Amino acid sequence: MTWVVFYDKRVAQAYVNQRKLDHEVKTLQVQASQFSKQTAQWISMVEGFNQALKEIGDVENWARSIEMDMRTIATALEYVHKGQPQSASS
């Protein structure tokens, strides 16, 4: 009779353990899903940040290009101005 009682207790404990495992698996699935969503949000934020950095770089390049053009124009105007005869009133 003691063997049957021991066996029943082992079966009952196995059932309890299985229920605990099932609960832990469900909890882990929920947490994994939440982590996946959060990771997707982080990736989206990083991609947005990278795009903003690229745009800043584009604006910087544009500004350098405009600055070079303006320096070229200023140099040309200076050259033209120096090449013209001075008026008597100047």
Side-chain angles (χ1 to χ4, degrees):
M1 185 81 156
T2 57
W3 173 252
V4 172
V5 171
F6 176 73
Y7 180 76
D8 285 346
K9 285 184 181 180
R10 297 278 311 237
V11 169
Q13 186 61 46
Y15 177 75
V16 168
N17 289 345
Q18 183 61 44
R19 300 231 346 140
K20 286 180 183 178
L21 284 173
D22 288 345
H23 176 72
E24 290 296 323
V25 166
K26 287 179 185 176
T27 301
L28 184 60
Q29 286 173 335
V30 168
Q31 290 174 346
S33 175
Q34 290 171 345
F35 180 70
S36 177
K37 289 176 186 175
Q38 188 176 31
T39 302
Q41 290 174 341
W42 291 342
I43 289 170
S44 177
M45 288 173 55
V46 168
E47 287 174 350
F49 181 70
N50 283 339
Q51 183 61 35
L53 285 177
K54 286 179 185 177
E55 290 173 5
I56 289 171
D58 290 345
V59 169
E60 186 178 1
N61 287 335
W62 173 81
R64 281 189 193 139
S65 176
I66 294 295
E67 183 180 11
M68 285 178 34
D69 289 348
M70 295 304 288
R71 285 179 193 258
T72 302
I73 291 169
T75 302
L77 288 173
E78 213 175 287
Y79 178 76
V80 168
H81 178 70
K82 286 181 182 177
Q84 290 182 357
Q86 297 291 326
S87 65
S89 63
S90 296

Tab-separated table of all heavy atoms in Angstrom, residues 4 7 47:
chain	number	residue	atom	x	y	z
A	4	VAL	N	1.803	2.465	-3.545
A	4	VAL	CA	0.718	3.147	-4.255
A	4	VAL	C	0.603	4.576	-3.778
A	4	VAL	O	0.452	5.505	-4.579
A	4	VAL	CB	-0.628	2.392	-4.061
A	4	VAL	CG1	-1.781	3.180	-4.631
A	4	VAL	CG2	-0.562	1.009	-4.671
A	7	TYR	N	3.523	6.457	-5.211
A	7	TYR	CA	3.287	6.660	-6.640
A	7	TYR	C	2.266	7.768	-6.856
A	7	TYR	O	2.462	8.645	-7.706
A	7	TYR	CB	2.836	5.353	-7.285
A	7	TYR	CG	2.575	5.489	-8.768
A	7	TYR	CD1	3.638	5.565	-9.673
A	7	TYR	CD2	1.277	5.557	-9.267
A	7	TYR	CE1	3.407	5.701	-11.027
A	7	TYR	CE2	1.037	5.694	-10.619
A	7	TYR	CZ	2.102	5.760	-11.500
A	7	TYR	OH	1.876	5.899	-12.841
A	47	GLU	N	16.505	54.008	-36.450
A	47	GLU	CA	16.448	54.312	-37.881
A	47	GLU	C	16.089	55.784	-38.101
A	47	GLU	O	16.652	56.444	-38.971
A	47	GLU	CB	15.460	53.385	-38.582
A	47	GLU	CG	15.974	51.962	-38.720
A	47	GLU	CD	14.934	51.004	-39.286
A	47	GLU	OE1	13.748	51.384	-39.412
A	47	GLU	OE2	15.317	49.858	-39.586
